[in-house]
């Protein structure tokens, strides 16, 4: 029986002491705020006590709400008391009690909602939790506080009901700003202290370094690291105060100079110092603005306070989101390091097991290599097929959506042209029967320049027709290229697929500032309909034509514009009754022999990093040879050009590879 009492008694003392300390801090900060940043209308644009209250409740628990109640009562009692008589003093105390209750309820509500939605996590370590903190604790809680407080003042006659919403908004904004600025300081420093309570050095680095970093310095240079750690925050804090004084105190518009400093603090010194510097900037800006100094001062004080709140909100949101992003990145790096460490341990274990079973694995090595190679190629084909399928769906969807409005516009151009012609004929008839209009009308008709208008309208309608026809052609080419609305295997006109591909690549064939237009020379033979997978075969045409354009542009490097002649030849022939040939060639620089043998290998590319993946020719080769039972080969001569030849059967001969791919 005695032991439980001994355990309860210290908790009671701790809660009483915490309540008293919070009440004193709340009251003291309220008096400081009124003294330093109070407007002529006795309005404080930022109310830090509310930030202290929210931070204390989030750090220590809901029992700190009693300290909020007492502190709010003391702060508002001295502001709204009426000491003319004892009765008036008692009456003036009633709204103060209601204000204190509203402040406590709003603070507790914001804390409870934040804990529930973040599962009691530290709310400033994730970006989504930061927004929950700003919304629930920073905005929802003060709504209760402002509503109860202003209603109490209105009921007591201290604020007219006509000014209810104006006073409510000022009250709410001041509480929101206080929570945005002060609460993150308490939370971040509390979290920092919790993480580093057992470290003697870590408090100096503020999250930008780790204990292990200190050990990397030679013992004779430890003092240098100490001074660097102390010197960097000191310089940064000094710069922030100096720039803030110059920007807000002297009236120079250098507010933007604070942003890189705050970002510097976020990256180098962590969330605690970043939030502290944000508080310093906000405090200097508030004091300067209410005293008529700084870049936010206007003739209207309310407008000045609104601009000030916008500035404070932006820098607070920026720093909190940035520090949360940095924290998430550090967590991700930590998890990745742990994963790599676990993988290394697993690899060591696996290596031991492999060594123990070397003889058994050697017997199956050849089969395993073949299986892995087949699996790798299958994965590459699936990856590319999925990518091209998604691209085809997107192209077909865009083509379908564009086609409807374009068809509508193109169809109505006929009626628009007829209507305009009718109006012009009516105007000409009017001029014929009334050749001498009044002077005013005559001047207006001269301004319109009817002859020019009639001629120009005809040209405009014709230009619009040409434009819609061009869009219709492009849309048709996109649909022909994707062919998602058709069966996978069917007899198609190969020339139509080539032409659709050329339309899509038209932007690459046009002249640029570095070279003239690339001429495409077509030599089409008489081909029967080819039974094939038209969509995948169009991918092959796209890849080969793109490579031809890339080869021509590479060969143009260092040449004069007038000396460049770029040509691409496309030839089609029927070789026999069941075999056709499509040849695509260019007059580029050609491909060396040692490279030519690797063209169809996966991931092999001669293009710079970021210009190609090395999968285009590999997948094209798979489509032609495995899917269509055809042949794809290359012939090239240095200095003269490159030729790719596709040979496919007229009738589909889908070989067993399709079935094997499906079974896999």
């Amino acid at each position: 029986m005695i032991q439980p009492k001994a355990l309860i008694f210290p908790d009671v003392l701790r809660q009483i002491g915490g309540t008293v300390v919070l009440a004193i801090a709340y009251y003291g900060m309220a008096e400081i705020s009124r003294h330093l940043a109070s407007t002529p209308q006795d309005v404080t644009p930022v109310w830090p006590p509310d930030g202290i209250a929210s931070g204390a409740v989030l750090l220590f628990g809901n029992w700190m709400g009693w300290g909020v109640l007492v502190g709010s009562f003391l702060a508002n009692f001295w502001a709204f008391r009426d000491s003319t008589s004892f009765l008036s003093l008692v009456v003036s105390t009633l709204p103060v009690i209601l204000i204190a209750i509203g402040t406590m309820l709003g603070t507790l509500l914001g804390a409870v909602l934040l804990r529930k939605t973040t599962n009691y996590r530290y709310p400033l370590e994730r970006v989504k939790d930061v927004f929950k903190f700003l919304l629930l604790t920073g905005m929802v809680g003060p709504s209760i506080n402002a509503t109860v407080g202003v209603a109490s003042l209105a009921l007591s006659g201290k604020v007219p009901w006509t000014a209810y919403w104006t006073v409510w908004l000022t009250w709410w904004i001041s509480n929101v700003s206080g929570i945005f600025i002060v609460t993150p300081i308490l939370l971040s420093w509390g979290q920092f202290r919790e993480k580093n309570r057992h470290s003697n050095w870590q408090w100096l680095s503020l999250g930008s370094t780790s204990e292990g970093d200190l050990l990397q310095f030679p013992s004779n240079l430890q003092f240098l690291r100490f001074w660097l750690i102390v010197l960097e925050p000191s310089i940064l804090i000094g710069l922030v105060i100096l720039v803030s004084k110059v920007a807000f105190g002297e009236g120079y518009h250098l507010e933007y100079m604070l942003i890189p400093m705050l970002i510097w603090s976020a990256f180098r010194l962590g969330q605690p110092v970043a939030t502290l510097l944000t508080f310093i900037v906000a405090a200097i800006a508030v004091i300067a603005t209410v005293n008529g100094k700084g870049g936010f001062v206007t003739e209207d004080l309310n407008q000045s306070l609104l601009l000030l709140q916008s500035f404070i909100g932006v820098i607070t949101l920026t720093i909190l989101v940035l520090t949360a992003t940095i924290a998430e990145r550090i967590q991700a790096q930590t998890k990745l390091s742990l994963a790599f460490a676990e993988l290394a341990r697993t690899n060591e274990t696996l290596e031991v097991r492999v060594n123990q079973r070397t003889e058994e694995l050697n017997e199956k090595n050849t089969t395993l290599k073949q299986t892995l190679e087949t699996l790798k190629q299958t994965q590459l084909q699936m990856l590319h097929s999925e990518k091209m399928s998604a691209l085809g769906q997107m192209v077909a969807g865009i083509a379908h959506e564009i086609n409807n409005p374009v068809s509508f516009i193109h169809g109505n151009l006929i009626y628009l042209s007829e209507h305009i012609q009718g109006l012009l004929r009516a105007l000409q008839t009017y001029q014929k029967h009334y050749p001498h209009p009044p002077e005013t009308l005559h001047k207006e008709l001269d301004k319109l320049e009817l002859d020019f208008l009639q001629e120009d309208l005809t040209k405009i309608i014709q230009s619009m027709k040409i434009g819609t026809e061009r869009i219709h052609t492009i849309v048709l080419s996109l649909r022909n290229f994707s062919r998602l609305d058709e069966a996978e295997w069917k007899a198609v006109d190969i020339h139509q697929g080539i032409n659709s591909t050329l339309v899509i690549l038209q932007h690459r064939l046009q002249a640029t500032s570095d070279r003239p237009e690339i001429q495409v020379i077509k030599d089409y033979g008489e081909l029967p309909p080819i039974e094939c997978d038209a969509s995948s075969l169009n991918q092959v045409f796209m890849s080969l034509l793109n490579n031809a354009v890339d080869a021509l542009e590479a060969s143009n490097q260092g040449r004069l514009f007038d000396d460049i002649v770029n040509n691409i030849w496309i030839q089609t022939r029927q070789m026999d009754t069941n075999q056709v040939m499509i040849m695509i060639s260019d007059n580029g620089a050609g491909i060396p022999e040692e490279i030519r043998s690797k063209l169809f290998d996966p991931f092999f590319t001669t293009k710079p990093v970021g210009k190609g993946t090395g999968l285009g020719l590999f997948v094209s080769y798979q489509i032609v040879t495995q899917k269509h039972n055809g042949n794809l080969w290359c012939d090239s001569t240095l200095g003269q050009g490159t030729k790719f030849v596709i040979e496919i059967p007229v009738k589909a001969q889908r070989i067993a590879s399709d079935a094997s791919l499906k079974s896999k």
Side-chain angles (χ1 to χ4, degrees), residues 50 157 200 203 270 290 319 328 376 396 439 446 457 515 597:
D50 228 34
N200 295 325
W203 66 275
V290 297
I319 294 305
E328 287 183 341
K376 181 179 178 181
E439 184 63 24
D446 288 341
L457 279 174
R515 61 165 175 78
S597 59

Side-chain angles (χ1 to χ4, degrees), residues 36 77 111 129 131 151 161 166 190 318 337 361 418 420 453 510 513 527 561 607 645:
L36 294 179
F77 175 77
D129 291 344
F131 284 103
W161 284 102
T166 302
T318 302
S337 300
L361 294 177
E418 292 176 355
I420 291 176
L453 185 63
Q510 295 173 350
S513 58
L527 299 183
F561 188 93
K607 299 177 183 177
V645 180

Side-chain angles (χ1 to χ4, degrees), residues 67 83 120 142 206 264 268 311 314 374 453 524 555 571:
S83 57
Y120 293 84
L206 302 178
W264 176 16
R268 290 288 300 140
F311 172 75
V314 168
T374 303
L453 185 63
Y524 291 166
S555 66
Q571 295 177 314

Side-chain angles (χ1 to χ4, degrees), residues 446-457:
D446 288 341
K447 289 180 181 179
L448 289 176
E449 298 181 0
L450 292 177
D451 294 337
F452 171 76
L453 185 63
Q454 180 177 0
E455 179 183 353
D456 195 49
L457 279 174

Side-chain angles (χ1 to χ4, degrees), residues 106 109-111 113-114 117 123-124 127-143 172 176 179-180 317 320:
L109 176 64
L113 291 177
L114 182 63
T117 55
L124 302 182
V127 175
K128 62 179 181 180
D129 291 344
V130 168
F131 284 103
K132 292 176 183 177
F133 162 74
L134 296 177
L135 178 63
L136 300 176
T137 304
M139 295 185 181
V140 175
S143 300
W172 182 78
V176 169
I179 294 174
F180 276 23
L317 177 63
L320 290 181

